[in-house]
Amino acid sequence: MISETLQKAREFESHYGSFIPADQRPAFHVTPTIGWMNDPNGFSPYKGEYHLFYQYHPYSNEWGPMHWGHLKTKDFIAWERLPVAIAPDESYDASGCFSGSAIELPDGRQLLLYTGVQRHHNKEGFIQDIQAQCVAIGDGVDYEKCGENPVLGAADLPEGGSFIDFRDPKIWQEADGTYYAVIGNRTEDTSGAILLYCSTDGLKWELARTLDRCNNQYGKMWECPDFFVLDGVHVLLTSPQEMSPIGLEFHAGNGTVCLIGDYDPAGKGFVRRYAQAIDYGLDFYAPQTLLTPDGRRVMIAWMQNWSTVGAKPYNCRWFGQMTLPRELSVKNGRLYQNPVREFEGYRERCVIHNNIPVCSEVNLPGIQGRMLDMTVTVRPTGSEPYRWFRVRVAKDGEHETIIRYRPDQGTIKIDRTRSGLPHDIVHTRSFLVSYREGEIKLRIILDRFSLEVFVNDGEQAASTVIYTRQEADAITFEAGGAALMDVEKYDIVLDQ
Ligand code: FRU
C-alpha cells in the first residue's frame, strides 16, 4: 500500500526533479533527485545490483521530515534513479524515517531496517525524540512497513541507554544465518555507545552486547555505526557528534572515526588497537559499507559536514552529494581507501607528462578540466629540494582550490577559500601524511562540484565540495625549491 505521503513525494520528485539539467549536477557522484540529501542508507547488493537509499527531504534544500530516496547501480558509477522508497507516514516514524540499512532476505525480498522518529513534548515542554528501529520489506521498489513496528525500542536498551538517541541500525548476516545489527546510542555519561543486536529473522531482535563505548573520548553521540572484518582485523566505523580536535587527526564538530581492533564474541568483545579519522577533507560524514559478491568492502559517505550545510549556493535545487564509492583495505594497521576499480572503465583521453621540472607556476598541455582522474607524483631533485608543492584546480582569474604538500612539516592542506562559495565557513583543512623521502603521490578526482584526493595509494583520503563555476577549469603546478613531477590524467566520460 502506497500512502498519501509517499505518493505525494513520488509525484513531487518525478515532476520537479526532471527540471534539473544533467550538467548542473555532478556526473558520477550521487545527488538527490530534488531537494535535500544527507546520509547514505541501505547501501547493499540486491538481486545482482547495488542499491543505495539516502536521507531525503524532496520539498526543499533544507533538512526536513526524512524520507528515503532511492537509486541502484551495476557498477557504482552509473546510477539509475528509483522512486522514493519510504516516507514518514506512520505514528512511530511521523517525524522521520532516519538512517538505516538493507539486506536481501532468503526469499528474495529486501528488508529495510531504519530508525523511526516520533517527536513529543517532554515534562519541561521541550521537544524530544523517541527513536526506535523499524522494518519495511519490499521488492526493490515498493516497501511495506511491518505490523510489528517498532521492532526495537526503549525496552530493548541496556541500562542507562537513551531512547532519545537510539539510531542508525546497520544490518548484516553471518554465515550461520543469524542477522546482526549495530546501532548508535547515548549512555548515561552523555557520550556514545555502539550496541550489538541479533535476530534469526530480521524482525525479532535481542541485545547481544554493548560493542564499544565512547567514554567521552571521541566526541559525544556516536551516529551511523558499521562493523565488519577486513584483512584479518575488525573495523568499527562511526560518526561522532561534538568532537574536540585532536592534533591534525580529528577536527571539531561532526567527525568520523575508524576503530581497528579484535573481536572475541565469547569473551571481551571488541578490543580497539588503533583509532584514526576516516577522511581528512572538509566534507565527509556517515559512511556506510557493503560487501560485493567478489569480496570487496566498498564504502560510500555523505560528502558534506553538518557544520557547513547552511553554506549552499543560492537557490540550489539539489543539495548534498555522496562520495565516490571506495574500496577499503587495512595495511600496516591503517585503513586504506581507493576509488572502486569500476571507475577506471570511464577513463578516456589519457595525457601523460613525465619528469617535468617544477618551480614557478606551470600548466601543462592537455591538463585541465572538471571531470577527471589525475595522479601527480612529485619528488625532490637537485641541491635545493622543494619545501612545498601546490596543485591548483578549478582555477580561473578569480577562483582556485589548492592542494599543498609541505614535506618539511609532513602536511597536506586543502584550501577552497577561493572556490566560489560566498559564505564565511571553514575553508581549509590540514592533515599529516607519512614521510617518503620527500616524495608524494596525489590522486585527484574532480567532478564539477567536488574534489577527492587519495594520498600515497589510498593511505589517506580527503573529500571537499566546491561550487566553483564550471568555466574555471585550469590546473597549475608550483613548487618552492626544485621538484620533478609525473602527471597522468584522464577525462571521465559518462553518457548523461
Ligand atoms: C547523521 C544523522 C543520523 C540520523 C540522520 C537524520 O547524519 O544525524 O544519525 O539518522 O542523520 O537525517
Side-chain angles (χ1 to χ4, degrees):
M1 243 274 292
I2 294 168
S3 68
E4 220 177 282
T5 318
L6 181 59
Q7 188 56 29
K8 187 174 143 226
R10 285 183 168 186
E11 282 167 13
F12 186 89
E13 65 165 16
S14 92
H15 183 68
Y16 292 103
S18 62
F19 295 150
I20 306 178
D23 65 359
Q24 288 178 23
R25 297 177 182 273
F28 49 94
H29 286 77
V30 168
T31 50
T33 307
I34 175 106
W36 163 280
M37 176 179 89
N38 57 289
D39 315 355
N41 296 157
F43 185 44
S44 56
Y46 181 65
K47 290 197 190 301
E49 296 177 299
Y50 302 107
H51 282 239
L52 174 69
F53 304 80
Y54 54 89
Q55 288 287 279
Y56 188 27
H57 184 238
Y59 303 112
S60 78
N61 60 23
E62 307 278 337
W63 190 85
M66 284 288 106
H67 299 56
W68 276 32
H70 192 186
L71 315 103
K72 66 178 182 175
T73 180
K74 290 186 172 58
D75 65 2
F76 299 112
I77 308 298
W79 295 86
E80 182 188 330
R81 292 188 185 277
L82 295 169
V84 189
I86 51 173
D89 51 15
E90 293 286 347
S91 57
Y92 51 77
D93 62 18
S95 295
C97 301
F98 275 21
S99 285
S101 48
I103 199 161
E104 182 166 346
L105 293 170
D107 64 8
R109 293 176 306 159
Q110 192 178 33
L111 179 143
L112 313 183
L113 182 62
Y114 69 98
T115 301
V117 180
Q118 232 181 320
R119 219 142 259 187
H120 71 133
H121 288 271
N122 70 6
K123 284 198 292 270
E124 289 97 49
F126 287 110
I127 288 180
Q128 203 173 53
D129 275 1
I130 298 174
Q131 301 192 335
Q133 316 320 317
C134 305
V135 166
I137 296 181
D139 60 2
V141 178
D142 296 315
Y143 300 85
E144 186 119 7
K145 293 181 182 169
C146 291
E148 292 90 333
N149 281 340
V151 296
L152 269 173
D156 306 293
L157 287 165
E159 212 187 316
S162 162
F163 61 80
I164 300 169
D165 289 294
F166 178 38
R167 59 180 175 270
D168 311 335
K170 172 70 199 294
I171 190 172
W172 75 94
Q173 190 176 28
E174 288 292 339
D176 68 358
T178 310
Y179 295 101
Y180 288 88
V182 277
I183 307 180
N185 190 217
R186 196 188 290 271
T187 59
E188 65 282 3
D189 71 4
T190 72
S191 76
I194 304 299
L195 307 178
L196 177 69
Y197 289 84
C198 59
S199 168
T200 52
D201 59 2
L203 287 173
K204 288 182 279 322
W205 291 88
E206 235 177 77
L207 179 68
R209 68 188 313 146
T210 296
L211 193 66
D212 203 354
R213 282 184 68 138
C214 170
N215 294 323
N216 283 300
Q217 193 184 5
Y218 300 111
K220 290 284 184 184
M221 172 63 192
W222 279 2
E223 301 189 307
C224 302
D226 200 342
F227 187 54
F228 48 86
V229 182
L230 185 63
D231 297 325
V233 292
H234 273 81
V235 178
L236 178 60
L237 306 181
T238 185
S239 299
Q241 294 176 319
E242 301 177 68
M243 286 194 85
S244 301
I246 305 179
L248 293 180
E249 188 65 26
F250 298 106
H251 58 81
N254 288 79
T256 54
V257 180
C258 168
L259 301 167
I260 298 179
D262 305 313
Y263 181 57
D264 169 13
K268 279 200 178 142
F270 180 63
V271 179
R272 307 178 197 162
R273 310 235 170 267
Y274 184 66
Q276 64 167 98
I278 304 175
D279 186 282
Y280 293 84
L282 286 151
D283 296 299
F284 185 93
Y285 200 66
Q288 200 173 73
T289 71
L290 60 70
L291 191 62
T292 61
D294 61 1
R296 290 176 289 154
R297 181 60 60 176
V298 175
M299 176 178 77
I300 195 166
W302 184 37
M303 190 157 43
Q304 192 57 59
N305 187 304
W306 279 110
S307 304
T308 57
V309 291
K312 41 179 83 91
Y314 292 111
N315 300 325
C316 61
R317 284 175 289 170
W318 60 265
F319 181 74
Q321 302 172 61
M322 296 299 172
T323 62
L324 196 60
R326 302 170 182 178
E327 288 180 25
L328 303 184
S329 55
V330 174
K331 280 188 224 160
N332 313 317
R334 274 190 67 88
L335 185 73
Y336 275 64
Q337 31 193 318
N338 281 298
V340 277
R341 63 195 65 169
E342 287 85 343
F343 184 54
E344 283 156 36
Y346 291 86
R347 303 202 297 198
E348 286 187 16
R349 298 190 283 274
C350 175
V351 178
I352 294 181
H353 296 275
N354 281 334
N355 284 315
I356 305 296
V358 196
C359 188
S360 56
E361 195 167 7
V362 287
N363 49 18
L364 297 170
I367 306 290
Q368 82 279 319
R370 289 288 291 275
M371 281 180 291
L372 54 83
D373 180 358
M374 174 174 76
T375 300
V376 183
T377 311
V378 190
R379 4 176 223 289
T381 183
S383 54
E384 200 211 328
Y386 75 102
R387 297 172 312 285
W388 54 262
F389 173 83
R390 277 190 209 133
V391 187
R392 295 168 203 260
V393 299
K395 180 173 157 61
D396 61 11
E398 220 181 298
H399 303 100
E400 62 187 10
T401 292
I402 308 170
I403 304 139
R404 188 203 64 188
Y405 173 52
R406 284 197 57 165
D408 57 345
Q409 293 181 345
T411 55
I412 286 181
K413 181 177 177 185
I414 311 281
D415 183 347
R416 65 158 178 213
T417 308
R418 302 217 295 146
S419 68
L421 248 191
H423 296 276
D424 186 25
I425 56 165
V426 181
H427 286 309
T428 64
R429 184 88 80 220
S430 296
F431 55 97
L432 291 170
V433 293
S434 62
Y435 185 70
R436 304 181 172 203
E437 264 71 64
E439 188 167 322
I440 191 98
K441 189 169 175 187
L442 304 169
R443 182 169 177 194
I444 298 169
I445 292 172
L446 296 178
D447 184 11
R448 292 199 180 111
F449 303 101
S450 68
L451 156 77
E452 283 163 288
V453 183
F454 296 86
V455 182
N456 292 335
D457 297 302
E459 196 173 19
Q460 277 154 307
S463 312
T464 294
V465 301
I466 55 172
Y467 291 105
T468 324
R469 62 174 182 230
Q470 299 305 309
E471 295 74 19
D473 67 351
I475 297 177
T476 63
F477 308 91
E478 190 184 3
L484 276 183
M485 171 180 82
D486 300 335
V487 183
E488 180 175 336
K489 182 228 133 189
Y490 301 84
D491 292 327
I492 301 300
V493 181
L494 267 91
D495 296 333
Q496 289 184 354

